[in-house]
Amino acid sequence: MKYIKISILFLILLLGVSATLLADDLGAAMKKAKKEDKPLILYFFTNYCPYCLAMDQDVLADRDIRTFLKNKAVYLRINADKRNDLTKFYSVRGYPTTSFLEPSGHRIIQIPGYIEKQDFRKVLAYATGKHYKTIGLMDFLKK
């Protein structure tokens, strides 16, 4: 029963974020981010990672965060088990890892591990508001 609930939640999450693209569409996601002048957010996960599942349930399933990702960013989920080439390219060493990239593809920041909901919202604001051009993330978070 628990696995059924988890599976349903995962499907809702995938269907709820219509801006989400498949990992095979990294090139399309980069083009879309550049065209729409939105940051590209790469979320690296594995199916067996308990922290990934917790982040999916506690953070990424949040309606406001899903809406924000859909409207203000290009969000791409990457299953690290299927795309080892991308985990190596982006120097991912643990899961989950969230990379925030400029529309050009230049890395803004990469955060390993589970990110609390309120912190994830702040980092989204930092990336989408282009605050990284004038202030470091730690100083931004102190505001």
Side-chain angles (χ1 to χ4, degrees):
M1 185 67 170
K2 181 179 178 181
Y3 293 107
I4 293 172
K5 288 180 184 178
I6 292 170
S7 298
I8 290 171
L9 179 63
F10 186 72
L11 287 173
I12 290 170
L13 179 65
L14 287 177
L15 296 174
V17 182
S18 62
T20 300
L21 303 171
L22 298 173
D24 291 336
D25 292 330
L26 179 61
M30 293 182 94
K31 286 179 186 176
K32 179 177 176 143
K34 194 169 193 171
K35 179 181 177 188
E36 297 179 8
D37 194 32
K38 294 179 179 179
L40 176 59
I41 300 170
L42 305 178
Y43 176 69
F44 294 89
F45 71 98
T46 65
N47 294 330
Y48 57 83
C49 165
Y51 296 105
C52 300
L53 180 60
M55 192 155 162
D56 282 345
Q57 292 175 343
D58 302 339
V59 180
L60 298 171
D62 180 86
R63 183 180 319 157
D64 293 335
I65 289 176
R66 285 194 330 254
T67 300
F68 195 93
L69 289 171
K70 179 180 176 183
N71 295 327
K72 303 285 185 183
V74 176
Y75 174 67
L76 184 64
R77 293 177 60 86
I78 299 172
N79 186 330
D81 291 326
K82 295 180 180 177
R83 292 304 305 261
N84 195 13
D85 58 326
L86 294 179
T87 60
K88 286 181 181 179
F89 183 79
Y90 287 101
S91 302
V92 174
R93 291 181 169 68
Y95 309 104
T97 293
T98 310
S99 293
F100 297 83
L101 309 176
E102 290 181 293
S104 66
H106 182 265
R107 185 181 305 170
I108 299 168
I109 191 161
Q110 183 163 292
I111 303 174
Y114 178 92
I115 306 170
E116 295 285 343
K117 190 184 304 188
Q118 66 273 14
D119 294 333
F120 193 77
R121 285 186 176 124
K122 291 176 185 175
V123 178
L124 284 174
Y126 179 74
T128 59
K130 299 186 180 183
H131 298 285
Y132 55 87
K133 292 185 177 195
T134 59
I135 188 171
L137 176 62
M138 296 313 291
D139 291 330
F140 181 81
L141 293 175
K142 291 177 187 175
K143 287 182 162 189

